[in-house]
Amino acid sequence: MPVYDIPFQLDAPHRRCVVGGEPMLFHCHHYNTFLQRTIQQDADFVDSRPFLVGAAAEVAFAQFSSLFARVDAIADRKRLATSLYQWAGLGTFDLTNLDDTGGEVRTENSHYAMAWRAKFGRSNRPVCDFASGWLAGTLAAIYGLSAGSFSVEHRSCSACGDSPTCGFRLTREAPNYTVFNPVGTGALTEHRPQAIPATPVDYDGILEALTGMEIVGDTNGQIPAFGVYLTRHYANYYNRISFEFERNLHALLGAQGIEVASPLLIEAGHVCAFNTFGGIMTSPEWDALIKPSLKTREDWVHGIVAAINALGWGRWQVTTLSETEAEFVIHDDYESTGYLAMYGTSDHPISYLAQGAVAGVMNLVYHGDVASNPEFTAEYYNRLFKTEGSYAANCLTSKAQGDEVTSFRVRRAVAEAALYEAV
């Protein structure tokens, strides 16, 4: 395993990790690719490439502009950038041949191309929009240029099957993507944790153990862990692409646009919970660290909530809990914090990942009996989320709308007809 020297800061009181002023958090390849496919294909009349690429350029430019304030040599800046990219599980790059006019770069290790092939098979279009924007934003920061100094062309993609590598060309000219103003960590609050039901689960001990684990990219820039490929990704990238997707739909369809976007983005949260939480709860690490203290199914819920607190998503709590229903409270959820910094107060709840994830927790524990160590198949996913007796979540309070915390009530519901493809 490579040895990294990444200047990251663990903000344990806010349950966050920050690198160069950008909050970074764990998500897996299932969520990364499903969210991107949702944006690109489920509403394919939206021109999404400009904001998919632009969001990556935004976070990379902001992060490295901060980090490079203490790094003068161009070669050292390139080494730090590629090291961080690999550390985060996003793949590998060699930036040696790029200069202040641009240039070409290829890689055999792109997270999105690898993940797309693993989840969906061959793609009919290049899928490395994140890598494209990351290159453009990073190269501008390396040479001390302004944001949007480079256009970027994604010339080949291994996800398409016509090339073993992913290739990119950068040119010093007007950007062919949206240039956003970075927002950094956003405004955080002083957490006032609420009372939770009695449980033997050691929340603080689990947080300390999981945040102390060496979960970093290997020589190929991959993080195979908990049965998935993890990434320590940019919170503001997820926020920007999700909210720009919604805003584009609203511009095209009015209020109906939000009605279209909401279930699609919540479904991505279901996919995240199913694969990431399911992978954690059936992993050797879970068996060794958490499972010995679990006596009831309620303890399983507490156990996974304790683990979620180590992902960088904010402080999660489950404040009432039974098989019938539960209430989840999230302090500084990353979606609301990002939305407020990017757009100001919302007139509707926007914590879509969290809404899908809390329903996923209840479905895994009670509806799907994850304790029985099931196989994580498409059939199992459909049984959890698309059959009678599945749980669904409703938003009670929203930080993005001005409330102190974001909270959800999760109850069993009769599932509607399946609207999406099986995972």
Side-chain angles (χ1 to χ4, degrees):
M1 187 68 68
V3 176
Y4 298 99
D5 183 20
I6 303 299
F8 77 95
Q9 299 172 315
L10 176 63
D11 179 5
H14 291 102
R15 306 300 192 257
R16 283 189 156 207
C17 171
V18 180
V19 183
E22 284 295 319
M24 301 188 75
L25 45 80
F26 283 114
H27 268 303
C28 79
H29 74 284
H30 293 280
Y31 180 67
N32 293 344
T33 53
F34 191 90
L35 178 62
Q36 179 167 318
R37 193 180 71 163
T38 292
I39 291 170
Q40 290 179 326
Q41 297 185 15
D42 288 346
D44 58 5
F45 50 89
V46 171
D47 183 14
S48 59
R49 184 185 180 277
F51 65 78
L52 286 169
V53 176
E58 170 192 356
V59 294
F61 179 80
Q63 182 178 69
F64 290 116
S65 293
S66 173
L67 293 177
F68 293 161
R70 298 180 294 278
V71 181
D72 293 328
I74 295 299
D76 291 339
R77 290 182 172 189
K78 289 182 176 181
R79 278 193 291 270
L80 175 56
T82 55
S83 180
L84 195 154
Y85 194 79
Q86 184 176 344
W87 167 81
L90 295 167
T92 61
F93 272 127
D94 181 353
L95 306 181
T96 304
N97 293 328
L98 298 180
D99 59 27
D100 61 356
T101 67
E104 295 193 11
V105 60
R106 306 183 72 83
T107 179
E108 295 179 353
N109 302 303
S110 171
H111 168 76
Y112 277 87
M114 176 277 296
W116 196 282
R117 293 194 308 269
K119 187 165 183 63
F120 301 125
R122 183 170 176 170
S123 173
N124 60 7
R125 56 168 290 173
V127 302
C128 301
D129 294 313
F130 172 80
S132 298
W134 185 90
L135 284 167
T138 298
L139 193 60
I142 287 172
Y143 286 99
L145 302 172
S146 60
S149 290
F150 295 94
S151 68
V152 58
E153 179 185 358
H154 188 1
R155 308 190 77 182
S156 64
C157 185
S158 62
C160 298
D162 57 356
S163 171
T165 62
C166 298
F168 308 85
R169 181 178 181 180
L170 292 103
T171 307
R172 184 78 173 271
E173 61 185 19
N176 54 350
Y177 49 85
T178 307
V179 178
F180 297 105
N181 292 320
V183 298
T185 59
L188 303 178
T189 63
E190 181 179 350
H191 294 181
R192 293 188 285 182
Q194 300 184 16
I196 65 172
T199 177
V201 171
D202 181 3
Y203 273 77
D204 291 337
I206 292 169
L207 176 66
E208 182 178 0
L210 291 179
T211 55
M213 292 176 63
E214 191 77 353
I215 305 176
V216 299
D218 60 17
T219 56
N220 294 321
Q222 298 177 359
I223 307 177
F226 307 117
V228 298
Y229 291 99
L230 288 178
T231 53
R232 195 189 288 268
H233 217 317
Y234 296 83
N236 286 327
Y237 177 74
Y238 293 119
N239 288 333
R240 186 69 78 180
I241 66 173
S242 297
F243 302 143
E244 285 297 307
F245 175 60
E246 182 188 65
R247 288 164 67 85
N248 272 262
L249 282 171
H250 183 265
L252 290 169
L253 304 175
Q256 187 180 0
I258 296 174
E259 296 173 3
V260 172
S262 173
L264 294 174
L265 295 172
I266 291 170
E267 180 78 356
H270 291 161
V271 170
C272 172
F274 177 77
N275 292 288
T276 303
F277 300 170
I280 291 173
M281 288 191 282
T282 54
S283 68
E285 293 85 358
W286 175 274
D287 290 346
L289 178 64
I290 301 174
K291 189 175 180 180
S293 67
L294 308 181
K295 309 302 181 186
T296 66
R297 287 194 288 181
E298 287 69 40
D299 292 338
W300 277 74
V301 174
H302 284 287
I304 191 59
V305 171
I308 293 169
N309 276 273
L311 299 179
W313 296 8
R315 184 193 297 267
W316 282 49
Q317 295 188 280
V318 55
T319 55
T320 63
L321 177 60
S322 70
E323 185 172 357
T324 303
E325 67 176 56
E327 291 188 11
F328 291 81
V329 172
I330 312 176
H331 308 254
D332 286 327
D333 72 286
Y334 77 84
E335 293 171 284
S336 288
T337 301
Y339 190 97
L340 288 167
M342 292 174 178
Y343 309 107
T345 304
S346 175
D347 62 1
H348 62 283
I350 51 74
S351 298
Y352 300 120
L353 175 279
Q355 186 168 349
V358 294
V361 168
M362 296 295 284
N363 277 315
L364 281 163
V365 173
Y366 292 106
H367 192 45
D369 190 21
V370 71
S372 66
N373 200 32
E375 291 188 29
F376 283 78
T377 62
E379 291 74 21
Y380 181 52
Y381 179 88
N382 286 331
R383 178 162 72 85
L384 258 61
F385 293 100
K386 303 180 185 299
T387 63
E388 186 172 354
S390 297
Y391 290 84
N394 292 316
C395 187
L396 301 176
T397 61
S398 168
K399 182 182 175 183
Q401 292 182 273
D403 295 316
E404 181 179 1
V405 296
T406 297
S407 62
F408 301 94
R409 178 178 291 119
V410 187
R411 291 174 169 166
R412 285 190 185 274
V414 177
E416 298 179 358
L419 299 177
Y420 311 98
E421 295 180 17
V423 176

